[in-house]
Amino acid sequence: MYSDKVKDHFEHPRNVGEIPDADGVGLVGNQKCGDIMKMYLKIENDVIVDVKFKTYGCGAAIATSSMATEMVKGKTVQEALQITNKAVMEALDGLPPVKVHCSVLAEEAIKAALEDYYKKQGKEPDFKATGCSHCCRKDEA
Amino acid sequence: MYSDKVKDHFEHPRNVGEIPDADGVGLVGNQKCGDIMKMYLKIENDVIVDVKFKTYGCGAAIATSSMATEMVKGKTVQEALQITNKAVMEALDGLPPVKVHCSVLAEEAIKAALEDYYKKQGKEPDFKATGCSHCCRKDEA
Amino acid sequence: MDHFVYADHAATTRIRPEVLEAMMPFLTEHYGNPSSMYEMSDVTEMAILDARRTVAELIGAKPNEIIFTSCGSESDNMALWGILRKKKGHLITTKIEHHAVLHTAEALEKEGYAVTYLDVDKDGLVAPEALEAAIRPDTTLISIMTANNEIGTVEPIRELAAVAKKHKITFHTDAVQAVGHIPIDVNELGVDMLSASGHKFGAPKGIGFLYVRGGVLPLPLIYGGGQERGKRAGTENIAFIVGLAKALELAVAEMEETNRKLTRMRDRLIDGILRDIPYCRLNGSRDKRLPGNVNVSIEFIEGEALLLKLDMAGICASSGSACTTGSLDPSHVLLAIGLTHEVAHGSLRITLGGDNTDEDVDYILEKLPGIVKYLRDMSPVWEDALKNGQAKEYELCTAIK
Amino acid sequence: MDHFVYADHAATTRIRPEVLEAMMPFLTEHYGNPSSMYEMSDVTEMAILDARRTVAELIGAKPNEIIFTSCGSESDNMALWGILRKKKGHLITTKIEHHAVLHTAEALEKEGYAVTYLDVDKDGLVAPEALEAAIRPDTTLISIMTANNEIGTVEPIRELAAVAKKHKITFHTDAVQAVGHIPIDVNELGVDMLSASGHKFGAPKGIGFLYVRGGVLPLPLIYGGGQERGKRAGTENIAFIVGLAKALELAVAEMEETNRKLTRMRDRLIDGILRDIPYCRLNGSRDKRLPGNVNVSIEFIEGEALLLKLDMAGICASSGSACTTGSLDPSHVLLAIGLTHEVAHGSLRITLGGDNTDEDVDYILEKLPGIVKYLRDMSPVWEDALKNGQAKEYELCTAIK
Ligand SMILES: Cc1ncc(COP(=O)(O)O)c(C=O)c1O
Ligand SMILES: Cc1ncc(COP(=O)(O)O)c(C=O)c1O
């Protein structure tokens, strides 16, 4: 059901962990629904120099978190904000339809971490992480 | 579905044919229902000395006709009247439940032929062939 | 027995070796439940996806329009109950449907649904005008079979479905005898739902499918797990699903050639029987006919006895006689085309398949007339007919070897 | 992969070689339609008769009380629709039924039938008193499963059926997880109807049966031909019917020995998991439990990820996590026994079968704690729990190899 890329990122997730002195931390999802992502960003001169994540959730949630961290690393904040769930999915060679929401969660985790970064910097973010309103769904066997 | 005896009597029916100068002829059944038996008896000194039949009908109808002719041959009229459908069935090692009515038809064919014999003799029969009211039925595949 | 001829392919067919081969892995090592998470189940999940795609392509449908079922009867029941329970209304069907439709329609009547049973002509054909005339404002579903299982008549489905479409009524066709036998394209036919059963074309008994056009949403017949996109619950019979797809693939690939051969053999049989056996008629349309179907009524004899004698000669066939229909009456199809009970009892159906040969045809033509003669000679009805001049004594045609 | 352990026998089982062997003739040379007249079909007709007799004997029923179906879901649907459509009324079932019953009950509700869903206790047990209290004057059918497919709880069916009998209400039990696994005698249990599915005990997927006590007369679910004495239409899946009978025969013959072994392995697993993994609980009754069922909730992690990690280690299992239930919510069974969504998401079901070994148990106990630790270390929920003192950091038990 999962692509080889997804499997690889699930099996060997990149950037797992915490950054104790992170410049931005984003927490999205909901344990009741079965998916929580927490993303830690270290930002220097507007560039994301380090990133870590922790995820509670299904295989796709872990893989998209992992891929998302890879994608933001080295990017400027503005570039990182452009990363869409679609881009994450594409980078993973696709997700089963029922797992698309996991990629949305990853996009939101980046946004939420950057929102936190803006706030910590005393800036008003001109975007808003909405978290993820959908829960994990497997429509078809 | 049929016993070996039924198969044998169907494959090699005994006493098929007509007796042109029969002393009693019985015709029972109904083509609409799919079963007709015609039985010819030659009777001398109250003993059935010859018997023939013609049957239009299923395998069980032909086999029971054949068996019934075998059973009446050599019997007295009174003995022949005692032959029940059960006896015919037993002689054939049984019939499928849905074919039981064929044995009833055979019993009735004997009765009808004897009724005809009585009438030809100017005697009032103290029994009556009812023909067969059931049609061929196969309840279960 | 000097020869064995299986000539009852409309009843069921043998599983083709290629089909069995395709199924075997799923009866042995690949046993994972397709709904499970682990990789072992990817194989079975993919196998079903592939089979669905194959079947869809072969009938011009989309994969998600195919619902696998356990048989043709289930497909028919699902179509009728599924649409009518969803949108209560009037059903139009015909008098010559298979019992899977007919008895379902009767059950629906008992539940309070109105049903119209269309008449057919002497060939078994349904007239589009008759269909149109039967439509009521509350008509919700029309169900007319593609090809009749007894007399082989192929209905004008495209014209009938067009009538339904004009009135925006869902159109279902029981194509159990047609799929794998004659070209079927759901879009060309214009049907909304179509039933098929694997064992009629070289797949095993116990697998079928229902095509349901996107947007047509029957209620399930079997509720439960999310299999078949929630339309049909039950852990999937993967092996048979794979087998059905394989069998259909083979049947469609070989259809043109097979049908050329079947048509030739069928016509030889029909002509030979009508030539060699007096007091005998062909049932069903001569030209709008399934390639492998022969159905004749042979007067003055009864069908079951005929089948048994044929069986003893190594020939497997079937009949619409009451003794074989499971009811008091002979085939409702034969009665619907105007046969009397008497004539219907003497019916014989021979259905050829791709594995039959010209020798089989010769053999049937060699054996049948003698058997008929034998049974007639034993029949009091024949005796009567001879006596009252209804029939004439005949010699067996010298053409018979 | 150093080891492969299939431990999802409640999902499905592999066809046993003896079963496949028994089926093979009916997938090859014996293909005659059992309804046909010729001798070739006697073999298939007899095979079904034999299978019916075997199955009946093994559950204490009479042959004509067995109706073969295409799966457990069909059996359940037939029982519920068949009784309720016949005699409209109120249905009592439970909150922990399989979807084949639950979704059918919901569909019945949409058709206007009243349904009561009984609560269960924390072990998943239904109380006979609760059943009795739910009975209404118009209650027509009670349907309570024999054993739960997720948590393995075995219900007090004899007591529950006695309540039904006292009130003269038809009692159906979904015994899909019980037949072939624990002793089943329909008379001892006192049930009127019982559903089973072959693929849960070594027969193929796509065959099941419904036991219907003589005199109890549900309407058919699938109308059509006269197969199964008119109770279930469709050309019979002879091969699978034969396979089901063979599989049940083997399962019953070996049951005592197998269950001794399964119970021992199961208990070893439960004890080992509870010992080696903190923040973990057993779901379902400890003693009224299927011999092969282990179901635990492991906090702070999510079930699908756990299954994938186990799969990578060569272990096939299942979970009641929302990600695997096909709905927004985790398993309705886990919620019904009082688990929160959070805890239910972290559930793991391991179901052992006769082919599992002690080495398999060792292997699971070796791999599982490390995988759980790994996922917890990656889980922000675990991080939180540690920070707010809800949980304590732990070392893996040294007992683990
Ligand atoms: C308790 C229970 N009932 C019904 C079913 C449905 O069986 P099947 O998948 O054969 O339809 C299952 C298994 O899936 C089950 O565990
Ligand atoms: C026209 C038609 N419809 C439906 C069926 C039922 O198919 P099945 O036996 O697979 O249920 C058959 C064959 O028996 C058939 O010929």
Side-chain angles (χ1 to χ4, degrees):
Chain A
M1 106 181 217
Y2 288 130
S3 71
D4 287 341
K5 276 256 178 74
V6 174
K7 282 184 196 158
D8 177 49
H9 275 265
F10 173 74
E11 201 165 354
H12 310 288
R14 288 41 153 190
N15 311 309
V16 175
E18 302 170 45
I19 302 179
D21 58 341
D23 298 306
V25 179
L27 182 73
V28 294
N30 178 334
Q31 198 193 345
K32 192 172 177 207
C33 295
D35 278 308
I36 302 183
M37 283 185 198
K38 190 167 188 178
M39 196 174 280
Y40 300 84
L41 299 178
K42 189 86 202 144
I43 299 174
E44 282 171 17
N45 297 328
D46 213 42
V47 171
I48 298 167
V49 294
D50 197 13
V51 52
K52 295 276 182 208
F53 82 91
K54 282 204 175 177
T55 290
Y56 162 94
C58 65
I62 290 172
T64 50
S65 309
S66 166
M67 179 54 86
T69 56
E70 286 286 273
M71 289 171 79
V72 297
K73 205 186 263 183
K75 291 233 165 54
T76 65
V77 168
Q78 277 313 315
E79 284 167 349
L81 280 170
Q82 307 308 315
I83 295 171
T84 62
N85 78 304
K86 257 188 150 168
V88 177
M89 278 208 290
E90 272 161 28
L92 285 167
D93 292 342
L95 282 177
V98 295
K99 297 295 189 179
V100 171
H101 75 98
C102 293
S103 64
V104 176
L105 209 58
E107 179 189 327
E108 294 297 324
I110 298 171
K111 284 223 178 69
L114 290 172
E115 202 180 332
D116 182 53
Y117 167 68
Y118 270 55
K119 284 184 178 157
K120 279 187 178 146
Q121 301 280 309
K123 286 193 279 186
E124 192 56 46
D126 54 350
F127 57 88
K128 215 178 140 42
T130 56
C132 179
S133 51
H134 344 278
C135 282
C136 204
R137 167 154 229 146
K138 187 166 187 263
D139 280 322
E140 199 174 348
Chain B
M1 109 183 218
Y2 289 128
S3 71
D4 287 341
K5 276 257 179 72
V6 174
K7 282 184 197 160
D8 176 49
H9 274 264
F10 173 73
E11 201 165 355
H12 310 288
R14 290 35 155 191
N15 310 309
V16 175
E18 301 169 47
I19 302 179
D21 59 342
D23 299 306
V25 179
L27 182 72
V28 294
N30 176 334
Q31 198 191 348
K32 192 171 176 208
C33 295
D35 277 308
I36 302 183
M37 283 185 199
K38 191 168 188 177
M39 195 174 283
Y40 300 83
L41 299 178
K42 189 87 204 143
I43 298 173
E44 282 170 16
N45 299 329
D46 213 42
V47 171
I48 296 167
V49 294
D50 197 12
V51 52
K52 296 274 184 211
F53 82 93
K54 281 204 174 177
T55 289
Y56 162 94
C58 65
I62 290 172
T64 50
S65 309
S66 166
M67 179 54 86
T69 57
E70 285 285 274
M71 289 170 79
V72 297
K73 205 186 263 183
K75 291 234 164 55
T76 64
V77 169
Q78 276 313 315
E79 285 167 347
L81 281 170
Q82 307 308 314
I83 295 171
T84 62
N85 76 305
K86 258 190 150 168
V88 178
M89 278 209 289
E90 271 162 27
L92 285 167
D93 293 342
L95 283 176
V98 296
K99 298 291 188 182
V100 172
H101 75 98
C102 293
S103 65
V104 175
L105 209 58
E107 179 189 327
E108 294 298 325
I110 299 170
K111 283 224 177 68
L114 290 172
E115 201 180 333
D116 182 51
Y117 166 69
Y118 270 56
K119 284 187 177 150
K120 280 189 179 141
Q121 301 280 312
K123 288 193 273 185
E124 193 55 45
D126 55 350
F127 57 87
K128 216 178 137 44
T130 56
C132 178
S133 52
H134 343 277
C135 282
C136 203
R137 168 154 228 144
K138 186 164 188 268
D139 281 321
E140 199 173 348
Chain C
M1 206 180 291
D2 43 349
H3 206 99
F4 177 79
V5 182
Y6 183 76
D8 200 15
H9 289 84
T12 197
T13 61
R14 185 179 177 133
I15 299 177
R16 296 184 57 156
E18 305 93 318
V19 170
L20 184 60
E21 200 185 313
M23 296 186 333
M24 281 312 286
F26 301 96
L27 294 171
T28 52
E29 73 259 38
H30 297 319
Y31 63 96
N33 189 320
S35 303
S36 298
M37 288 304 305
Y38 31 82
E39 206 163 337
M40 177 190 168
S41 289
D42 290 357
V43 187
T44 46
E45 198 186 346
M46 288 302 294
I48 295 176
L49 279 175
D50 281 348
R52 199 186 304 283
R53 202 177 306 118
T54 301
V55 170
E57 254 171 39
L58 292 169
I59 63 163
K62 300 189 199 78
N64 63 7
E65 294 177 326
I66 304 296
I67 297 165
F68 289 112
T69 65
S70 71
C71 60
S73 302
E74 186 192 328
S75 300
D76 287 340
N77 275 261
M78 179 173 170
L80 270 61
W81 289 107
I83 293 295
L84 288 171
R85 279 180 49 225
K86 176 80 167 281
K87 190 173 158 222
K88 311 263 183 291
H90 169 237
L91 166 69
I92 302 175
T93 184
T94 79
K95 290 195 174 155
I96 62 161
E97 298 299 312
H98 187 270
H99 284 146
V101 167
L102 223 45
H103 287 167
T104 304
E106 288 161 12
L108 283 159
E109 278 191 284
K110 282 208 187 112
E111 299 258 324
Y113 294 86
V115 181
T116 299
Y117 301 90
L118 297 176
D119 282 315
V120 296
D121 72 8
K122 64 174 192 359
D123 285 343
L125 288 162
V126 179
E129 303 74 42
L131 170 60
E132 184 137 29
I135 290 174
R136 312 190 327 192
D138 65 335
T139 303
T140 299
L141 179 67
I142 296 167
S143 179
I144 301 178
M145 70 200 317
T146 308
N148 184 272
N149 47 303
E150 295 190 37
I151 58 176
T153 298
V154 179
E155 300 295 339
I157 294 299
R158 198 187 301 119
E159 289 72 21
L160 295 163
V163 172
K165 190 163 193 173
K166 186 173 133 194
H167 293 267
K168 297 197 170 52
I169 299 165
T170 304
F171 189 93
H172 166 254
T173 187
D174 174 345
V176 167
Q177 291 288 340
V179 169
H181 294 280
I182 56 175
I184 292 290
D185 183 299
V186 291
N187 291 315
E188 214 185 280
L189 290 175
V191 299
D192 297 310
M193 294 198 279
L194 177 145
S195 299
S197 183
H199 72 100
K200 306 293 187 184
F201 53 85
K205 303 177 223 319
I207 188 73
F209 68 84
L210 180 66
Y211 156 79
V212 181
R213 186 176 292 280
V216 176
L217 301 167
L219 289 176
L221 184 69
I222 298 178
Y223 289 84
Q227 294 92 350
E228 302 294 310
R229 286 169 303 117
K231 291 286 168 214
R232 200 284 186 187
T235 303
E236 297 91 336
N237 185 344
I238 306 133
F240 281 17
I241 288 173
V242 167
L244 183 144
K246 183 70 187 176
L248 190 55
E249 200 175 295
L250 294 169
V252 170
E254 301 165 0
M255 193 179 285
E256 232 186 281
E257 200 184 318
T258 303
N259 283 357
R260 220 175 297 125
K261 177 180 139 187
L262 285 180
T263 308
R264 192 189 65 233
M265 296 198 300
R266 172 197 76 186
D267 290 344
R268 234 164 44 78
L269 261 179
I270 293 174
D271 294 341
I273 291 172
L274 295 179
R275 180 193 64 213
D276 296 338
I277 302 176
Y279 312 107
C280 173
R281 54 160 280 157
L282 177 70
N283 296 319
S285 167
R286 176 80 218 216
D287 56 328
K288 293 187 187 83
R289 188 175 199 96
L290 286 174
N293 177 289
V294 175
N295 189 310
V296 290
S297 276
I298 302 174
E299 290 190 63
F300 313 116
I301 62 169
E302 189 279 333
E304 196 214 83
L306 178 59
L307 293 187
L308 291 173
K309 292 301 288 183
L310 284 169
D311 189 23
M312 284 167 177
I315 299 166
C316 297
S318 93
S319 167
S321 150
C323 283
T324 64
T325 60
S327 80
L328 293 175
D329 293 311
S331 149
H332 62 284
V333 176
L334 298 180
L335 297 180
I337 59 170
L339 265 54
T340 60
H341 276 65
E342 288 81 348
V343 174
H345 285 311
S347 78
L348 171 68
R349 181 186 72 176
I350 297 171
T351 44
L352 303 170
D355 43 353
N356 283 122
T357 62
D358 276 306
E359 288 68 49
D360 292 343
V361 173
D362 292 338
Y363 184 72
I364 295 170
L365 288 175
E366 178 193 329
K367 289 290 172 187
L368 184 59
I371 290 172
V372 169
K373 187 95 172 62
Y374 170 88
L375 288 173
R376 281 179 176 168
D377 285 344
M378 191 189 294
S379 164
V381 184
W382 175 244
E383 187 188 312
D384 266 13
L386 290 177
K387 280 183 189 148
N388 65 26
Q390 235 188 297
K392 282 212 183 74
E393 196 68 68
Y394 64 93
E395 288 300 311
L396 284 184
C397 178
T398 48
I400 301 165
K401 287 159 281 184
Chain D
M1 208 179 291
D2 43 348
H3 206 99
F4 177 79
V5 182
Y6 182 75
D8 200 16
H9 290 84
T12 197
T13 61
R14 184 179 178 132
I15 299 176
R16 296 184 56 155
E18 305 93 320
V19 171
L20 184 59
E21 201 186 312
M23 297 187 330
M24 283 312 286
F26 301 96
L27 295 172
T28 51
E29 71 260 39
H30 297 319
Y31 63 97
N33 190 320
S35 303
S36 298
M37 288 304 305
Y38 32 81
E39 206 164 335
M40 177 190 168
S41 290
D42 289 356
V43 187
T44 45
E45 198 187 346
M46 289 302 294
I48 295 176
L49 280 174
D50 282 347
R52 199 186 303 286
R53 202 177 306 119
T54 302
V55 170
E57 255 171 40
L58 293 168
I59 64 163
K62 301 189 198 79
N64 63 7
E65 295 177 325
I66 304 297
I67 297 165
F68 289 112
T69 65
S70 71
C71 59
S73 302
E74 187 192 327
S75 299
D76 286 341
N77 275 261
M78 180 172 169
L80 270 61
W81 289 106
I83 293 296
L84 288 171
R85 279 179 48 226
K86 176 81 166 283
K87 189 171 160 228
K88 311 263 183 292
H90 170 236
L91 166 69
I92 301 176
T93 183
T94 80
K95 290 195 174 154
I96 62 160
E97 298 298 312
H98 187 269
H99 284 145
V101 167
L102 222 46
H103 287 167
T104 304
E106 288 161 12
L108 283 159
E109 278 191 284
K110 283 209 185 108
E111 299 256 324
Y113 294 85
V115 181
T116 299
Y117 301 89
L118 297 176
D119 282 316
V120 296
D121 72 8
K122 65 176 192 357
D123 284 343
L125 288 162
V126 179
E129 304 74 43
L131 170 60
E132 184 137 30
I135 289 174
R136 313 190 326 192
D138 65 337
T139 303
T140 301
L141 179 67
I142 296 167
S143 179
I144 300 177
M145 70 199 317
T146 308
N148 185 272
N149 47 303
E150 294 188 37
I151 58 175
T153 298
V154 178
E155 300 295 338
I157 294 299
R158 198 187 301 121
E159 289 72 21
L160 295 163
V163 172
K165 190 163 195 176
K166 186 173 133 193
H167 293 267
K168 297 195 170 56
I169 299 165
T170 304
F171 189 93
H172 166 252
T173 187
D174 174 345
V176 167
Q177 292 289 339
V179 169
H181 294 280
I182 56 175
I184 291 289
D185 182 299
V186 291
N187 291 316
E188 213 184 281
L189 289 175
V191 299
D192 298 310
M193 293 199 278
L194 177 145
S195 300
S197 183
H199 71 101
K200 306 292 187 184
F201 54 85
K205 301 176 223 325
I207 188 74
F209 69 83
L210 180 66
Y211 157 79
V212 180
R213 187 177 292 281
V216 176
L217 301 167
L219 289 176
L221 184 69
I222 298 178
Y223 289 85
Q227 294 92 350
E228 302 294 309
R229 286 169 300 117
K231 290 287 169 214
R232 200 283 187 186
T235 303
E236 298 91 335
N237 186 345
I238 306 133
F240 281 17
I241 287 173
V242 167
L244 182 144
K246 183 72 188 172
L248 190 55
E249 200 174 293
L250 294 170
V252 170
E254 301 165 0
M255 193 178 285
E256 231 186 281
E257 200 184 320
T258 303
N259 283 356
R260 219 175 298 125
K261 176 180 140 189
L262 285 180
T263 308
R264 193 188 66 234
M265 296 199 299
R266 173 198 75 187
D267 290 343
R268 238 170 32 85
L269 260 178
I270 293 174
D271 294 340
I273 291 172
L274 295 179
R275 180 193 64 214
D276 295 339
I277 303 176
Y279 311 107
C280 174
R281 55 161 278 158
L282 178 70
N283 296 318
S285 167
R286 177 80 218 214
D287 57 328
K288 293 185 187 85
R289 188 176 198 95
L290 287 174
N293 178 289
V294 176
N295 189 312
V296 290
S297 276
I298 302 173
E299 290 190 64
F300 312 117
I301 61 169
E302 189 280 331
E304 195 214 85
L306 178 59
L307 293 188
L308 291 173
K309 293 300 289 183
L310 284 169
D311 189 23
M312 284 168 179
I315 299 166
C316 297
S318 93
S319 167
S321 150
C323 284
T324 64
T325 59
S327 80
L328 293 176
D329 292 312
S331 150
H332 63 282
V333 176
L334 298 180
L335 297 180
I337 60 171
L339 265 54
T340 61
H341 276 62
E342 288 80 349
V343 174
H345 285 312
S347 78
L348 172 68
R349 181 186 73 177
I350 297 171
T351 44
L352 303 170
D355 43 353
N356 283 123
T357 62
D358 275 309
E359 287 68 48
D360 293 343
V361 172
D362 292 338
Y363 184 71
I364 295 170
L365 287 175
E366 177 192 330
K367 289 290 173 186
L368 183 59
I371 290 172
V372 170
K373 187 93 170 67
Y374 170 89
L375 288 173
R376 282 180 175 168
D377 284 344
M378 190 188 294
S379 163
V381 184
W382 175 244
E383 186 187 312
D384 265 13
L386 290 177
K387 279 183 190 151
N388 64 26
Q390 236 188 295
K392 281 214 183 75
E393 195 69 67
Y394 64 94
E395 288 299 311
L396 284 185
C397 177
T398 48
I400 301 166
K401 289 159 282 185

